[in-house]
Amino acid sequence: MKIIIVGAGEVGYNIASRLASESKQVVVIERNPDLARVLFEDLDVQVIEGSGSSPTVLSRAGIQDTDILLAVTDSDEINLTACLVTNLLSPSTKKLARIRNTDFDSFHEIFKTQIPYINTIINPEIEVVKTIRRLVDIPQALDTGDFADGKVRYTGIRIDGDSVMAGMHLKDFHERFGATRPLIAAIVRKDEVIVPRGNDSIYPGDLVYFVSHADQLKDTLKIFGIKVTPIQSALIVGGGRIGARLATQMENEGIKTRLIESDKARCLELAEQMDKTVVLHGDGSDQNLFLEENLNQIDAVISVTDDDETNVLVSLLAKNLGVKNTVTRIGKSSYYPFLATIGIEKVVSPRLSAVSSILQNVRQGKVLSDISIFGERGEFIQAVALETSDITNRPLKDLNMPKGALLVCIIRNGDIIIPTGESVVTPGDQIILFTVKQAVKKMEKLLTVKLEFF
């Protein structure tokens, strides 16, 4: 598979790194010579300096024999133009464009269905807002997402010493919890992602990712000692695109929302846009402002400014003032290893959302969605089981699953099946798998063609 990436910013760099590590042929086009040089020095990819919207540059990159074009610059206009020019030069190339401007929101489906030069629109900010809404409704959840049109949920929970699960073997879950037992897909322990087996145990301090029916999530959370209580009030710090989207959604849901923005002109603009949201002009990291707003009476504080340091400081201030439910936007991947040590665990990232959206379009097999977790060290993959796949027509216990991979759910005719060793995947089933980064290549092969060994 050959992939051309237009743009070597945070998203372009990270997706290039990810795909190159999976031995895909990657070409990156970047007009900024400094970014191009960094990419050339850091990664095993071909780098071409120039504009990704130029027919000459795209031809030089080999667009005619390229499977996928990913246009992920910071400019919506350049991304759209790159897809248009690609369609003229190589109509068979699949084209993905990152478009973030809210003015384009109502045109996404038109782009994909009526305009032939774009196959997929990527807007990570929309996905970030969805993730934030799910996270704030479960204060103890550190990560959460869904599959199969919301019918299946995954959730990440930190295990404390009082948990009934502390010290238990996974093989004992069925006897202890019965049909409502959570299927543990991954355990994060001391910065290591573990795909567990029956003999593995859960210990206090573990971050546990489990999968459950969405309509049984509340019952499953009770096993963890968690009660879901929808929030009534929220404070959003940062009035950019994410903050504005989130505030609009929350006020439409009847949540009492306040939004702090440091730019006065932007405050005036937001005040005109919002109906019930209270827009405040000020510095979100100002403790005095927090005290004036009676922060300890607010259910959730969400910091989504464009500055990582400000977001971290806001969350720490909120926690210090007694707010347990905080969500922090982080852009720099280098920050992830240190956040948990200072108490910042509920983190959202537009970059990671963009990478997840892109991965589902470049994975082999019929992949429907691909979600990265824990700094991209693991992936949930939702796919359709093909007739040619080695995963079909045999009990799961007889499959030669790659080390570091686990099938966590089968969806058949709308029914959700949490599998056991006796379960059999049939062609046409939707399946959800979890895999660590190192096992992705073998998992792709398992999803596409029959194999005798790995």
Side-chain angles (χ1 to χ4, degrees), residues 160-168 176-177 222-225:
D160 60 36
D162 297 329
S163 172
V164 296
M165 294 182 182
M168 282 188 64
R176 177 68 183 271
F177 304 120
K222 287 179 182 178
I223 297 174
F224 288 86

Side-chain angles (χ1 to χ4, degrees), residues 126-406:
I126 292 176
E127 296 306 314
V128 165
V129 169
K130 291 179 182 178
T131 300
I132 292 172
R133 280 298 296 118
R134 290 190 293 258
L135 281 172
V136 294
D137 274 344
I138 310 174
Q140 297 90 338
L142 305 184
D143 197 359
T144 185
D146 57 36
F147 303 97
D149 298 322
K151 295 177 182 177
V152 180
R153 289 284 293 272
Y154 76 85
T155 308
I157 298 291
R158 181 76 66 186
I159 302 297
D160 60 36
D162 297 329
S163 172
V164 296
M165 294 182 182
M168 282 188 64
H169 289 292
L170 268 62
K171 64 183 179 182
D172 297 329
F173 271 34
H174 187 273
E175 181 179 351
R176 177 68 183 271
F177 304 120
T180 60
R181 73 192 187 283
L183 190 149
I184 307 300
I187 299 172
V188 181
R189 180 181 300 150
K190 295 181 180 179
D191 220 29
E192 178 187 1
V193 179
I194 302 167
V195 177
R197 300 300 185 217
N199 289 324
D200 287 312
S201 298
I202 294 175
Y203 298 105
D206 287 349
L207 172 57
V208 172
Y209 280 85
F210 69 90
V211 174
S212 66
H213 297 70
D215 57 6
Q216 295 179 0
L217 179 61
K218 290 183 179 181
D219 292 333
T220 305
L221 286 169
K222 287 179 182 178
I223 297 174
F224 288 86
I226 295 171
K227 181 180 179 180
V228 178
T229 305
I231 64 169
Q232 303 297 318
S233 60
L235 175 68
I236 301 169
V237 179
R241 286 188 294 261
I242 291 176
R245 285 182 187 275
L246 181 61
T248 299
Q249 181 172 335
M250 284 185 162
E251 72 171 28
N252 289 339
E253 295 175 16
I255 298 170
K256 295 179 181 179
T257 306
R258 280 174 276 182
L259 189 154
I260 298 176
E261 168 58 40
S262 60
D263 183 87
K264 190 171 184 178
R266 179 61 173 166
C267 277
L268 294 173
E269 182 181 342
L270 289 168
E272 292 180 358
Q273 291 179 11
M274 301 298 165
D275 183 16
K276 299 178 181 179
T277 298
V278 177
V279 180
L280 304 168
H281 176 237
D283 180 359
S285 60
D286 182 355
Q287 185 169 347
N288 291 326
L289 180 59
F290 272 19
L291 292 172
E292 290 172 6
E293 293 303 315
N294 298 316
L295 196 65
N296 58 343
Q297 299 178 16
I298 293 175
D299 293 333
V301 173
I302 305 108
S303 188
V304 288
T305 75
D306 290 331
D307 184 79
D308 289 352
E309 290 78 10
T310 297
N311 295 335
V312 169
L313 181 56
V314 167
S315 293
L316 291 176
L317 282 172
K319 285 177 174 292
N320 188 54
L321 292 172
V323 180
K324 296 181 179 179
N325 198 356
T326 65
V327 180
T328 312
R329 172 188 174 175
I330 295 295
K332 297 175 184 175
S333 55
S334 58
Y335 280 18
Y336 275 85
F338 311 106
L339 294 173
T341 62
I342 60 172
I344 303 295
E345 293 196 292
K346 275 193 172 186
V347 175
V348 293
S349 168
R351 178 187 62 80
L352 285 181
S353 292
V355 170
S356 292
S357 297
I358 290 168
L359 285 175
Q360 72 185 60
N361 287 281
V362 300
R363 289 274 174 256
Q364 297 180 26
K366 195 172 182 180
V367 174
L368 304 177
S369 63
D370 188 309
I371 301 175
S372 296
I373 67 160
F374 200 66
E376 301 178 82
R377 299 183 194 180
E379 291 180 33
F380 283 101
I381 299 174
Q382 180 185 358
V384 176
L386 305 177
E387 180 71 46
T388 57
S389 170
D390 196 52
I391 207 168
T392 59
N393 299 322
R394 286 194 292 169
L396 296 183
K397 65 180 182 180
D398 295 336
L399 289 179
N400 188 13
M401 290 286 285
K403 183 179 180 181
L406 179 69

Side-chain angles (χ1 to χ4, degrees), residues 23-89:
S23 302
K24 291 182 170 59
Q25 184 181 355
V26 179
V27 181
V28 180
I29 300 173
E30 173 54 54
R31 67 191 310 169
N32 184 314
D34 294 330
L35 291 177
R37 182 172 57 256
V38 169
L39 201 72
F40 178 78
E41 292 173 352
D42 289 355
L43 305 180
D44 184 20
V45 299
Q46 181 183 353
V47 182
I48 296 177
E49 189 177 323
S51 173
S53 60
S54 163
T56 302
V57 173
L58 285 168
S59 295
R60 184 150 52 97
I63 193 64
Q64 285 82 0
D65 62 354
T66 295
D67 299 289
I68 299 174
L69 174 94
L70 306 175
V72 293
T73 74
D74 288 332
S75 167
D76 293 347
E77 291 75 14
I78 290 177
N79 296 338
L80 288 168
T81 304
C83 290
L84 170 61
V85 175
T86 294
N87 191 66
L88 296 174
L89 299 175

